[in-house]
Amino acid sequence: MPSSTFLRQRSDYRNLLVYRKCECIYDLTYYFINKFIAKGDRTADQMLQAARSGKQNIAEGSAASVTSRETEIKLTNVAKASLKELLEDYIDYLRTRSLPLWQPGDPKFEQARRVCSAHSDSAYYREAAATRSDSAIANITVILLNQTDYLLFRLIESQKKAFLAQGGIREEMTRARLAHRNLHK
């Protein structure tokens, strides 16, 4: 194994579809709480922090992956858990206000699911939010959150496979050191 693979740098996390989806969720949540949640409501802070945690933990996990696949997996899972918390907040918002939660088969749900699958640019959602009701934004964000949850599941599975195939930093260090010794005998 060449020493160039030791402490390899990962690609930019901003290019990950899951990160871009998290950025959309954060931006929608920021808009939503500023438009529809009363100032000073603790829920607003909780929702924004959960949205932020989803995005930021992907970035931090990516940076940590250089020296710790374990930390990368843990932080990706923290992102997943934070977004689950946010999902519950949106569902609670809809339920407590007797607003509909769009279901599969509902034309609004199906259209939103297609649109959310096709778009991962936060500017698209920021522009669209200005013309949508609280119910529509909450439902669109629920759909984005469910799609992102699936992407995070797949990312964690990929990270687990990489760990099983390549090991952790100590194993990489040992392989690199042995390769270096063998080259310089």
Side-chain angles (χ1 to χ4, degrees):
M1 168 181 284
S3 62
S4 64
T5 60
F6 178 60
L7 290 180
R8 76 245 164 275
Q9 296 298 311
R10 300 288 174 113
S11 61
D12 185 6
Y13 61 87
R14 287 181 182 94
N15 292 328
L16 293 173
L17 176 60
V18 71
Y19 179 83
R20 294 192 318 268
K21 293 284 188 182
C22 284
E23 192 171 61
C24 297
I25 290 165
Y26 178 86
D27 289 357
L28 276 173
T29 301
Y30 183 87
Y31 178 86
F32 183 84
I33 63 174
N34 283 295
K35 177 98 173 165
F36 301 112
I37 306 277
K39 296 284 185 222
D41 186 332
R42 192 172 187 293
T43 302
D45 291 336
Q46 293 286 68
M47 289 177 75
L48 192 60
Q49 287 307 312
R52 181 184 181 281
S53 178
K55 186 171 79 66
Q56 300 303 96
N57 277 292
I58 292 170
E60 187 177 351
S62 178
S65 71
V66 173
T67 58
S68 177
R69 284 197 177 90
E70 178 185 357
T71 300
E72 176 188 33
I73 293 168
K74 284 180 181 178
L75 289 171
T76 305
N77 196 58
V78 169
K80 192 175 189 313
S82 293
L83 294 178
K84 281 288 193 185
E85 176 186 348
L86 182 61
L87 174 65
E88 289 302 315
D89 285 331
Y90 276 107
I91 291 171
D92 289 347
Y93 180 92
L94 292 167
R95 185 188 67 255
T96 60
R97 287 158 181 83
S98 299
L99 297 170
L101 173 61
W102 300 344
Q103 299 295 322
D106 178 339
K108 289 180 183 178
F109 176 90
E110 297 302 331
Q111 180 184 6
R113 182 167 54 181
R114 282 189 301 276
V115 168
C116 290
S117 291
H119 294 279
S120 60
D121 176 15
S122 64
Y124 175 85
Y125 293 98
R126 288 191 312 271
E127 184 178 321
T131 62
R132 302 297 192 279
S133 67
D134 59 339
S135 176
I137 295 171
N139 274 287
I140 290 166
T141 308
V142 164
I143 291 168
L144 271 172
L145 283 160
N146 283 317
Q147 290 176 348
T148 303
D149 183 66
Y150 176 71
L151 292 172
L152 284 165
F153 168 77
R154 287 185 41 209
L155 180 58
I156 291 168
E157 289 301 307
S158 172
Q159 292 168 344
K160 287 171 23 182
K161 285 179 187 173
F163 176 79
L164 291 174
Q166 299 160 2
I169 187 67
R170 288 196 172 108
E171 291 167 291
E172 284 186 24
M173 290 168 69
T174 299
R175 281 193 298 270
R177 181 69 183 136
L178 291 173
H180 179 77
R181 280 187 191 163
N182 288 336
L183 283 174
H184 295 90
K185 278 188 176 183

